[in-house]
mmCIF file of all heavy atoms in Angstrom:
data_model
loop_
_atom_site.group_PDB
_atom_site.id
_atom_site.type_symbol
_atom_site.label_atom_id
_atom_site.label_comp_id
_atom_site.label_asym_id
_atom_site.label_seq_id
_atom_site.Cartn_x
_atom_site.Cartn_y
_atom_site.Cartn_z
ATOM 1 N N PRO A 665 0.802 -1.227 0.000
ATOM 2 C CA PRO A 665 0.000 0.000 0.000
ATOM 3 C C PRO A 665 0.836 1.279 0.000
ATOM 4 O O PRO A 665 0.299 2.357 -0.247
ATOM 5 C CB PRO A 665 -0.828 -0.119 1.282
ATOM 6 C CG PRO A 665 -0.105 -1.085 2.138
ATOM 7 C CD PRO A 665 0.589 -2.037 1.213
ATOM 8 N N LYS A 666 2.147 1.161 0.252
ATOM 9 C CA LYS A 666 3.006 2.349 0.243
ATOM 10 C C LYS A 666 3.500 2.704 -1.157
ATOM 11 O O LYS A 666 4.044 3.791 -1.365
ATOM 12 C CB LYS A 666 4.192 2.139 1.182
ATOM 13 C CG LYS A 666 3.822 1.991 2.654
ATOM 14 C CD LYS A 666 5.073 1.866 3.506
ATOM 15 C CE LYS A 666 4.721 1.801 4.989
ATOM 16 N NZ LYS A 666 3.925 0.608 5.307
ATOM 17 N N GLN A 667 3.341 1.787 -2.105
ATOM 18 C CA GLN A 667 3.858 2.025 -3.457
ATOM 19 C C GLN A 667 2.751 2.499 -4.396
ATOM 20 O O GLN A 667 1.665 1.929 -4.423
ATOM 21 C CB GLN A 667 4.503 0.751 -4.005
ATOM 22 C CG GLN A 667 5.766 0.334 -3.267
ATOM 23 C CD GLN A 667 6.499 -0.786 -3.986
ATOM 24 O OE1 GLN A 667 6.453 -0.873 -5.224
ATOM 25 N NE2 GLN A 667 7.165 -1.643 -3.232
ATOM 26 N N ARG A 668 3.090 3.549 -5.167
ATOM 27 C CA ARG A 668 2.123 4.119 -6.108
ATOM 28 C C ARG A 668 2.216 3.489 -7.497
ATOM 29 O O ARG A 668 1.214 3.411 -8.214
ATOM 30 C CB ARG A 668 2.332 5.636 -6.232
ATOM 31 C CG ARG A 668 2.001 6.420 -4.989
ATOM 32 C CD ARG A 668 2.060 7.917 -5.276
ATOM 33 N NE ARG A 668 3.423 8.390 -5.398
ATOM 34 C CZ ARG A 668 4.077 9.049 -4.448
ATOM 35 N NH1 ARG A 668 3.469 9.308 -3.291
ATOM 36 N NH2 ARG A 668 5.314 9.464 -4.627
ATOM 37 N N THR A 669 3.391 3.094 -7.901
ATOM 38 C CA THR A 669 3.591 2.515 -9.233
ATOM 39 C C THR A 669 4.499 1.302 -9.115
ATOM 40 O O THR A 669 5.163 1.096 -8.094
ATOM 41 C CB THR A 669 4.222 3.542 -10.203
ATOM 42 O OG1 THR A 669 5.465 3.994 -9.658
ATOM 43 C CG2 THR A 669 3.299 4.728 -10.426
ATOM 44 N N GLY A 670 4.524 0.518 -10.188
ATOM 45 C CA GLY A 670 5.349 -0.688 -10.195
ATOM 46 C C GLY A 670 4.516 -1.926 -9.995
ATOM 47 O O GLY A 670 3.341 -1.874 -9.625
ATOM 48 N N ASP A 671 5.143 -3.080 -10.207
ATOM 49 C CA ASP A 671 4.423 -4.350 -10.154
ATOM 50 C C ASP A 671 3.819 -4.637 -8.784
ATOM 51 O O ASP A 671 2.795 -5.343 -8.684
ATOM 52 C CB ASP A 671 5.359 -5.499 -10.548
ATOM 53 C CG ASP A 671 5.741 -5.468 -12.017
ATOM 54 O OD1 ASP A 671 5.026 -4.773 -12.783
ATOM 55 O OD2 ASP A 671 6.733 -6.110 -12.393
ATOM 56 N N ASN A 672 4.432 -4.128 -7.731
ATOM 57 C CA ASN A 672 3.952 -4.408 -6.379
ATOM 58 C C ASN A 672 3.097 -3.280 -5.804
ATOM 59 O O ASN A 672 2.716 -3.324 -4.637
ATOM 60 C CB ASN A 672 5.130 -4.677 -5.441
ATOM 61 C CG ASN A 672 5.877 -5.943 -5.810
ATOM 62 O OD1 ASN A 672 5.259 -6.912 -6.263
ATOM 63 N ND2 ASN A 672 7.187 -5.937 -5.652
ATOM 64 N N ALA A 673 2.818 -2.258 -6.605
ATOM 65 C CA ALA A 673 2.020 -1.127 -6.115
ATOM 66 C C ALA A 673 0.596 -1.575 -5.817
ATOM 67 O O ALA A 673 -0.025 -2.307 -6.594
ATOM 68 C CB ALA A 673 2.020 -0.012 -7.150
ATOM 69 N N CYS A 674 0.080 -1.137 -4.678
ATOM 70 C CA CYS A 674 -1.307 -1.444 -4.321
ATOM 71 C C CYS A 674 -2.245 -0.728 -5.289
ATOM 72 O O CYS A 674 -2.151 0.494 -5.468
ATOM 73 C CB CYS A 674 -1.590 -0.986 -2.893
ATOM 74 S SG CYS A 674 -3.323 -1.131 -2.412
ATOM 75 N N PRO A 675 -3.158 -1.444 -5.934
ATOM 76 C CA PRO A 675 -4.094 -0.782 -6.850
ATOM 77 C C PRO A 675 -4.879 0.342 -6.193
ATOM 78 O O PRO A 675 -5.179 1.347 -6.841
ATOM 79 C CB PRO A 675 -5.002 -1.923 -7.307
ATOM 80 C CG PRO A 675 -4.122 -3.146 -7.229
ATOM 81 C CD PRO A 675 -3.281 -2.922 -6.004
ATOM 82 N N TYR A 676 -5.220 0.184 -4.915
ATOM 83 C CA TYR A 676 -5.930 1.267 -4.233
ATOM 84 C C TYR A 676 -5.070 2.529 -4.171
ATOM 85 O O TYR A 676 -5.569 3.642 -4.374
ATOM 86 C CB TYR A 676 -6.330 0.843 -2.819
ATOM 87 C CG TYR A 676 -7.577 -0.007 -2.765
ATOM 88 C CD1 TYR A 676 -7.489 -1.394 -2.853
ATOM 89 C CD2 TYR A 676 -8.831 0.566 -2.629
ATOM 90 C CE1 TYR A 676 -8.631 -2.184 -2.804
ATOM 91 C CE2 TYR A 676 -9.972 -0.216 -2.579
ATOM 92 C CZ TYR A 676 -9.871 -1.587 -2.670
ATOM 93 O OH TYR A 676 -10.996 -2.361 -2.635
ATOM 94 N N THR A 677 -3.803 2.354 -3.881
ATOM 95 C CA THR A 677 -2.919 3.510 -3.784
ATOM 96 C C THR A 677 -2.705 4.146 -5.154
ATOM 97 O O THR A 677 -2.773 5.375 -5.301
ATOM 98 C CB THR A 677 -1.579 3.094 -3.162
ATOM 99 O OG1 THR A 677 -1.832 2.555 -1.842
ATOM 100 C CG2 THR A 677 -0.621 4.260 -3.052
ATOM 101 N N THR A 678 -2.464 3.331 -6.160
ATOM 102 C CA THR A 678 -2.326 3.860 -7.520
ATOM 103 C C THR A 678 -3.579 4.618 -7.938
ATOM 104 O O THR A 678 -3.512 5.760 -8.431
ATOM 105 C CB THR A 678 -2.076 2.710 -8.509
ATOM 106 O OG1 THR A 678 -0.899 2.004 -8.141
ATOM 107 C CG2 THR A 678 -1.934 3.241 -9.925
ATOM 108 N N LEU A 679 -4.714 4.001 -7.759
ATOM 109 C CA LEU A 679 -5.966 4.612 -8.186
ATOM 110 C C LEU A 679 -6.308 5.848 -7.360
ATOM 111 O O LEU A 679 -6.939 6.787 -7.871
ATOM 112 C CB LEU A 679 -7.099 3.594 -8.114
ATOM 113 C CG LEU A 679 -6.989 2.418 -9.097
ATOM 114 C CD1 LEU A 679 -8.069 1.379 -8.812
ATOM 115 C CD2 LEU A 679 -7.094 2.901 -10.540
ATOM 116 N N TYR A 680 -5.903 5.866 -6.104
ATOM 117 C CA TYR A 680 -6.133 7.050 -5.259
ATOM 118 C C TYR A 680 -5.421 8.268 -5.840
ATOM 119 O O TYR A 680 -6.026 9.338 -6.011
ATOM 120 C CB TYR A 680 -5.645 6.773 -3.835
ATOM 121 C CG TYR A 680 -5.559 7.996 -2.955
ATOM 122 C CD1 TYR A 680 -6.707 8.566 -2.419
ATOM 123 C CD2 TYR A 680 -4.328 8.582 -2.646
ATOM 124 C CE1 TYR A 680 -6.639 9.690 -1.601
ATOM 125 C CE2 TYR A 680 -4.248 9.694 -1.835
ATOM 126 C CZ TYR A 680 -5.396 10.241 -1.314
ATOM 127 O OH TYR A 680 -5.319 11.365 -0.503
ATOM 128 N N TRP A 681 -4.149 8.113 -6.167
ATOM 129 C CA TRP A 681 -3.399 9.243 -6.705
ATOM 130 C C TRP A 681 -3.898 9.615 -8.097
ATOM 131 O O TRP A 681 -3.944 10.802 -8.460
ATOM 132 C CB TRP A 681 -1.906 8.922 -6.716
ATOM 133 C CG TRP A 681 -1.340 8.900 -5.331
ATOM 134 C CD1 TRP A 681 -1.088 7.802 -4.562
ATOM 135 C CD2 TRP A 681 -0.995 10.028 -4.525
ATOM 136 N NE1 TRP A 681 -0.605 8.164 -3.329
ATOM 137 C CE2 TRP A 681 -0.535 9.529 -3.278
ATOM 138 C CE3 TRP A 681 -1.026 11.407 -4.726
ATOM 139 C CZ2 TRP A 681 -0.115 10.366 -2.255
ATOM 140 C CZ3 TRP A 681 -0.609 12.248 -3.706
ATOM 141 C CH2 TRP A 681 -0.160 11.728 -2.487
ATOM 142 N N ALA A 682 -4.307 8.632 -8.879
ATOM 143 C CA ALA A 682 -4.871 8.931 -10.194
ATOM 144 C C ALA A 682 -6.202 9.663 -10.055
ATOM 145 O O ALA A 682 -6.531 10.558 -10.853
ATOM 146 C CB ALA A 682 -5.049 7.646 -10.996
ATOM 147 N N PHE A 683 -6.986 9.310 -9.038
ATOM 148 C CA PHE A 683 -8.254 9.990 -8.758
ATOM 149 C C PHE A 683 -7.997 11.461 -8.424
ATOM 150 O O PHE A 683 -8.688 12.361 -8.936
ATOM 151 C CB PHE A 683 -8.965 9.284 -7.606
ATOM 152 C CG PHE A 683 -10.231 9.947 -7.149
ATOM 153 C CD1 PHE A 683 -11.435 9.684 -7.787
ATOM 154 C CD2 PHE A 683 -10.231 10.816 -6.063
ATOM 155 C CE1 PHE A 683 -12.610 10.290 -7.362
ATOM 156 C CE2 PHE A 683 -11.406 11.423 -5.635
ATOM 157 C CZ PHE A 683 -12.597 11.162 -6.285
ATOM 158 N N LEU A 684 -7.025 11.717 -7.569
ATOM 159 C CA LEU A 684 -6.682 13.100 -7.233
ATOM 160 C C LEU A 684 -6.254 13.866 -8.481
ATOM 161 O O LEU A 684 -6.618 15.042 -8.664
ATOM 162 C CB LEU A 684 -5.565 13.140 -6.194
ATOM 163 C CG LEU A 684 -5.829 12.502 -4.831
ATOM 164 C CD1 LEU A 684 -4.635 12.738 -3.905
ATOM 165 C CD2 LEU A 684 -7.106 13.041 -4.208
ATOM 166 N N ASP A 685 -5.500 13.219 -9.326
ATOM 167 C CA ASP A 685 -5.011 13.872 -10.537
ATOM 168 C C ASP A 685 -6.172 14.209 -11.484
ATOM 169 O O ASP A 685 -6.222 15.305 -12.058
ATOM 170 C CB ASP A 685 -4.005 12.958 -11.236
ATOM 171 C CG ASP A 685 -3.273 13.655 -12.373
ATOM 172 O OD1 ASP A 685 -2.485 14.574 -12.097
ATOM 173 O OD2 ASP A 685 -3.514 13.278 -13.535
ATOM 174 N N ARG A 686 -7.116 13.268 -11.641
ATOM 175 C CA ARG A 686 -8.247 13.494 -12.552
ATOM 176 C C ARG A 686 -9.147 14.629 -12.079
ATOM 177 O O ARG A 686 -9.689 15.382 -12.877
ATOM 178 C CB ARG A 686 -9.107 12.222 -12.679
ATOM 179 C CG ARG A 686 -8.525 11.130 -13.506
ATOM 180 C CD ARG A 686 -9.601 10.120 -13.947
ATOM 181 N NE ARG A 686 -10.441 9.629 -12.867
ATOM 182 C CZ ARG A 686 -10.128 8.626 -12.051
ATOM 183 N NH1 ARG A 686 -8.943 8.038 -12.151
ATOM 184 N NH2 ARG A 686 -10.981 8.231 -11.116
ATOM 185 N N HIS A 687 -9.314 14.741 -10.776
ATOM 186 C CA HIS A 687 -10.281 15.689 -10.216
ATOM 187 C C HIS A 687 -9.587 16.803 -9.426
ATOM 188 O O HIS A 687 -10.168 17.362 -8.489
ATOM 189 C CB HIS A 687 -11.288 14.941 -9.340
ATOM 190 C CG HIS A 687 -12.002 13.843 -10.064
ATOM 191 N ND1 HIS A 687 -12.929 14.089 -11.056
ATOM 192 C CD2 HIS A 687 -11.898 12.489 -9.970
ATOM 193 C CE1 HIS A 687 -13.383 12.942 -11.528
ATOM 194 N NE2 HIS A 687 -12.780 11.954 -10.887
ATOM 195 N N GLU A 688 -8.373 17.118 -9.814
ATOM 196 C CA GLU A 688 -7.549 18.066 -9.066
ATOM 197 C C GLU A 688 -8.246 19.401 -8.849
ATOM 198 O O GLU A 688 -8.258 19.935 -7.730
ATOM 199 C CB GLU A 688 -6.218 18.280 -9.797
ATOM 200 C CG GLU A 688 -5.291 19.260 -9.099
ATOM 201 C CD GLU A 688 -3.960 19.401 -9.829
ATOM 202 O OE1 GLU A 688 -3.787 18.785 -10.909
ATOM 203 O OE2 GLU A 688 -3.093 20.135 -9.312
ATOM 204 N N ALA A 689 -8.814 19.975 -9.886
ATOM 205 C CA ALA A 689 -9.383 21.315 -9.766
ATOM 206 C C ALA A 689 -10.544 21.341 -8.767
ATOM 207 O O ALA A 689 -10.609 22.234 -7.904
ATOM 208 C CB ALA A 689 -9.857 21.791 -11.138
ATOM 209 N N GLU A 690 -11.448 20.383 -8.851
ATOM 210 C CA GLU A 690 -12.583 20.359 -7.926
ATOM 211 C C GLU A 690 -12.132 20.106 -6.492
ATOM 212 O O GLU A 690 -12.605 20.762 -5.554
ATOM 213 C CB GLU A 690 -13.589 19.286 -8.348
ATOM 214 C CG GLU A 690 -14.771 19.174 -7.406
ATOM 215 C CD GLU A 690 -15.825 18.197 -7.884
ATOM 216 O OE1 GLU A 690 -15.804 17.796 -9.058
ATOM 217 O OE2 GLU A 690 -16.704 17.848 -7.071
ATOM 218 N N LEU A 691 -11.214 19.179 -6.313
ATOM 219 C CA LEU A 691 -10.762 18.852 -4.962
ATOM 220 C C LEU A 691 -9.968 20.005 -4.350
ATOM 221 O O LEU A 691 -10.039 20.245 -3.137
ATOM 222 C CB LEU A 691 -9.928 17.576 -4.994
ATOM 223 C CG LEU A 691 -10.659 16.319 -5.459
ATOM 224 C CD1 LEU A 691 -9.694 15.149 -5.596
ATOM 225 C CD2 LEU A 691 -11.790 15.953 -4.509
ATOM 226 N N ALA A 692 -9.203 20.717 -5.166
ATOM 227 C CA ALA A 692 -8.404 21.841 -4.649
ATOM 228 C C ALA A 692 -9.288 22.978 -4.160
ATOM 229 O O ALA A 692 -8.899 23.756 -3.288
ATOM 230 C CB ALA A 692 -7.455 22.344 -5.727
ATOM 231 N N ALA A 693 -10.498 23.085 -4.705
ATOM 232 C CA ALA A 693 -11.377 24.201 -4.356
ATOM 233 C C ALA A 693 -12.107 23.990 -3.036
ATOM 234 O O ALA A 693 -12.721 24.923 -2.515
ATOM 235 C CB ALA A 693 -12.397 24.405 -5.476
ATOM 236 N N SER A 694 -12.041 22.795 -2.471
ATOM 237 C CA SER A 694 -12.747 22.503 -1.218
ATOM 238 C C SER A 694 -11.773 22.444 -0.051
ATOM 239 O O SER A 694 -10.743 21.757 -0.128
ATOM 240 C CB SER A 694 -13.475 21.160 -1.324
ATOM 241 O OG SER A 694 -13.954 20.740 -0.062
ATOM 242 N N PRO A 695 -12.059 23.132 1.045
ATOM 243 C CA PRO A 695 -11.178 23.045 2.218
ATOM 244 C C PRO A 695 -11.030 21.625 2.760
ATOM 245 O O PRO A 695 -10.016 21.291 3.366
ATOM 246 C CB PRO A 695 -11.873 23.953 3.244
ATOM 247 C CG PRO A 695 -12.749 24.853 2.444
ATOM 248 C CD PRO A 695 -13.179 24.067 1.247
#
């Protein structure tokens, strides 16, 4: 779960950071 990329990266962790990237503008606007 500590790895974002690579063969051993947890899919939840990878997808979490990808989710933030996809929705960056909306998430940045909320405290």
Side-chain angles (χ1 to χ4, degrees):
K666 296 183 177 63
Q667 293 190 31
R668 293 188 286 258
T669 58
D671 291 342
N672 294 325
C674 173
Y676 280 90
T677 300
T678 301
L679 294 173
Y680 168 76
W681 289 100
F683 176 85
L684 299 184
D685 190 67
R686 285 198 310 276
H687 304 290
E688 180 178 3
E690 178 175 345
L691 297 174
S694 169

